[in-house]
Amino acid sequence: MSQLKSYGIALPHFRIEDAILHPKGKKSITKSVCFADEDLITLAFQAAANLKLETLNSKPDGVLFATSTSVFTNRYHASFLADLLNLPQGILALDFTNSTRSGTDAFLLANTLIDSGKYKNILVVAADVHFPAIGKELSTTFGHAACAILLSNEKGIAEITEAKSYSSSLAEEFSYKGNNIQYDPRFSRDAGFKTNLTSSLKDFITNPKQYDAVILNSLYARMAGGIFAKAGFEETQFAKDTLSSKIGNTGAAHALLLLINELESTPFPKGRIGDGLILLADYTNGTNFFEIKTHETNHEKTLQNQLKNNELIQTYQDYLLLRKAGNFKSAKYKTKEMFSSEMMQEREKDTLQYLKGLKCDECGTIYYLKSTRCKKCKADKFS
């Protein structure tokens, strides 16, 4: 089976307390939010950059990108990201969209492709950036984040020993022709979540006692206790979702971030078996199951370290400014997206996409647009 070789994480620079978003919110609960110069692509690129591909001997021969909040229409995010990462032209690059389960969908396919023997290393990137409607921030789950995981046929920090997907035709809520459709919650949770999870557990699990940690990523996770208990699991096996209260529910990236968080928390808490076997279940219109065996128990606290560096937004007005939600210049003011031709983007790719600049060898002045001569010291040599 495939190995989890390495991973990278990207969180925005800012978080906001629920108490700032709404008077009924709690100070202890925060959500990560992008600034005006951050979006889905910048977070995804940063997560992959933090993985430090250039230092690994395992170079990706495929990129799978997952999100439920696409920024491109009729264009692949995966191939765009592969180009930003300087990966070869013609590389396998596929998008997984429309579902918060798309992160583990990509994870599942990467594992299958590596098992087939046709691919050696596949980069899985999951990112979500969604801003709820103004005033709906507490009633809508959201949180901005990205993670990048390199799966390989070479030994890594953990191994996927088993993986399987169980689909469900019932969608609890979805968008159709611009309208939000939602069934009666009591019916949809029974006919969808409970039915699918119960049947898939019976098929996938042979020995529930062998797992040190059980991760369930679902909006209905609180309803799953009885289902897992009937299947033979104990309450002490469950890993708590400590991320939702700190960065919010991060959509397509959330299940993979929960896995990373659990890997970084090993050795497992007292009361668990301690053999390093994790069960990951991700439910949205069906369940993806993964059985993961950990090889290392001393991981760098990448996720926790990033959480320490976030800055809290102090006012709701700052939040509105941050997301460009207000017309602050005049009654007719509208923000406009910058546009450039494909030819110009290709010509200026190093500067515009790869964020490379030039530094004057004489005085050290930095330029992000090409200049033939330094405006400060008039020298003409740059690095």
Side-chain angles (χ1 to χ4, degrees):
M1 303 295 283
S2 66
Q3 303 269 341
L4 198 161
K5 188 79 173 178
S6 184
Y7 61 84
I9 297 165
L11 298 179
H13 292 292
F14 292 95
R15 281 190 289 163
I16 188 167
E17 292 180 337
D18 276 5
I20 300 296
L21 292 173
H22 195 279
K24 293 183 179 180
K26 296 180 180 179
K27 284 189 175 182
S28 58
I29 298 178
T30 58
K31 292 175 171 61
S32 58
V33 289
C34 283
F35 190 62
D37 61 351
E38 295 175 308
D39 66 3
L40 187 77
I41 295 297
T42 57
L43 278 185
F45 175 80
Q46 189 60 53
N50 290 340
L51 198 146
K52 298 179 181 177
L53 290 172
E54 67 277 2
T55 64
L56 300 172
N57 294 324
S58 310
K59 300 301 180 184
D61 42 19
V63 178
L64 306 183
F65 184 88
T67 185
S68 64
T69 55
S70 305
V71 293
F72 292 142
T73 301
N74 295 338
R75 180 175 188 171
Y76 279 88
H77 301 71
S79 55
F80 186 74
L81 185 62
D83 191 48
L84 292 178
L85 294 170
N86 287 323
L87 298 179
Q89 290 289 322
I91 196 172
L92 172 72
L94 300 175
D95 279 4
F96 294 76
T97 59
N98 284 359
S99 171
T100 55
R101 203 182 78 189
S102 58
T104 55
D105 287 343
F107 199 56
L108 187 85
L109 180 61
N111 174 66
T112 303
L113 291 174
I114 290 173
D115 282 352
S116 73
K118 293 184 179 180
Y119 294 88
K120 295 180 179 179
N121 306 286
I122 295 183
L123 177 64
V124 176
V125 182
D128 251 322
V129 174
H130 167 63
F131 280 104
I134 304 300
K136 301 289 185 181
E137 290 90 355
L138 284 197
S139 58
T140 307
T141 57
F142 81 102
H144 305 162
C147 66
I149 297 177
L150 183 66
L151 289 185
S152 174
N153 61 357
E154 302 172 352
K155 187 173 181 180
I157 59 178
E159 177 184 5
I160 300 176
T161 55
E162 192 69 41
K164 198 168 182 180
S165 183
Y166 300 86
S167 65
S168 172
S169 61
L170 192 143
E172 289 79 6
E173 53 183 298
F174 56 95
S175 177
Y176 178 68
K177 293 184 177 180
N179 298 317
N180 291 325
I181 312 298
Q182 186 171 10
Y183 296 120
D184 184 303
R186 294 166 297 179
F187 163 75
S188 61
R189 290 168 190 170
D190 284 346
F193 174 69
K194 288 184 178 180
T195 299
N196 184 269
L197 189 61
T198 300
S199 60
S200 55
L201 272 173
K202 288 181 180 178
D203 182 77
F204 189 80
I205 302 300
T206 55
N207 179 17
K209 303 298 183 184
Q210 67 179 326
Y211 298 106
D212 303 278
V214 177
I215 303 170
L216 173 60
N217 180 49
S218 170
L219 294 178
Y220 313 117
R222 292 182 180 179
M223 302 172 61
I227 298 173
F228 276 89
K230 288 182 180 179
F233 289 89
E234 297 179 2
E235 187 177 348
T236 55
Q237 291 176 276
F238 281 85
K240 293 182 179 180
D241 181 356
T242 58
L243 295 182
S244 291
S245 62
K246 297 177 182 177
I247 60 176
N249 187 297
T250 54
H254 204 70
L256 298 179
L257 285 173
L258 289 176
L259 173 62
I260 291 171
N261 190 47
E262 192 63 24
L263 289 173
E264 291 188 355
S265 69
T266 53
F268 296 109
K270 188 176 180 181
R272 301 213 183 137
I273 303 168
D275 292 333
L277 195 62
I278 298 173
L279 176 67
L280 171 62
D282 186 21
Y283 175 85
T284 304
N285 307 151
T287 312
N288 290 339
F289 274 107
F290 300 88
E291 186 179 275
I292 299 167
K293 173 73 175 178
T294 58
H295 297 317
E296 297 180 12
T297 57
N298 187 24
H299 303 293
E300 184 180 351
K301 307 299 183 183
T302 306
L303 189 53
Q304 299 303 321
N305 289 339
Q306 286 207 26
L307 284 170
K308 293 178 183 178
N309 297 325
N310 290 106
E311 184 178 342
L312 286 176
I313 298 168
Q314 300 299 322
T315 68
Y316 191 69
Q317 182 178 350
D318 287 342
Y319 169 77
L320 294 179
L321 283 168
L322 170 147
R323 60 170 294 185
K324 300 181 182 178
N327 295 335
F328 298 103
K329 294 183 179 178
S330 71
K332 296 182 179 180
Y333 172 73
K334 292 183 179 179
T335 58
K336 292 185 180 295
E337 296 295 334
M338 184 179 70
F339 171 79
S340 183
S341 70
E342 286 281 354
M343 184 174 68
M344 186 175 289
Q345 284 188 16
E346 186 65 27
R347 188 180 66 193
E348 304 291 344
K349 183 164 32 179
D350 280 351
T351 300
L352 297 176
Q353 291 187 3
Y354 299 150
L355 306 181
K356 292 180 180 177
L358 295 171
K359 185 176 182 180
C360 175
D361 290 345
E362 290 293 328
C363 66
T365 301
I366 294 175
Y367 295 88
Y368 286 106
L369 290 176
K370 294 177 182 177
S371 178
T372 56
R373 188 175 296 276
C374 178
K375 294 179 180 180
K376 185 175 182 180
C377 70
K378 309 304 179 183
D380 59 1
K381 292 185 178 180
F382 297 87
S383 301

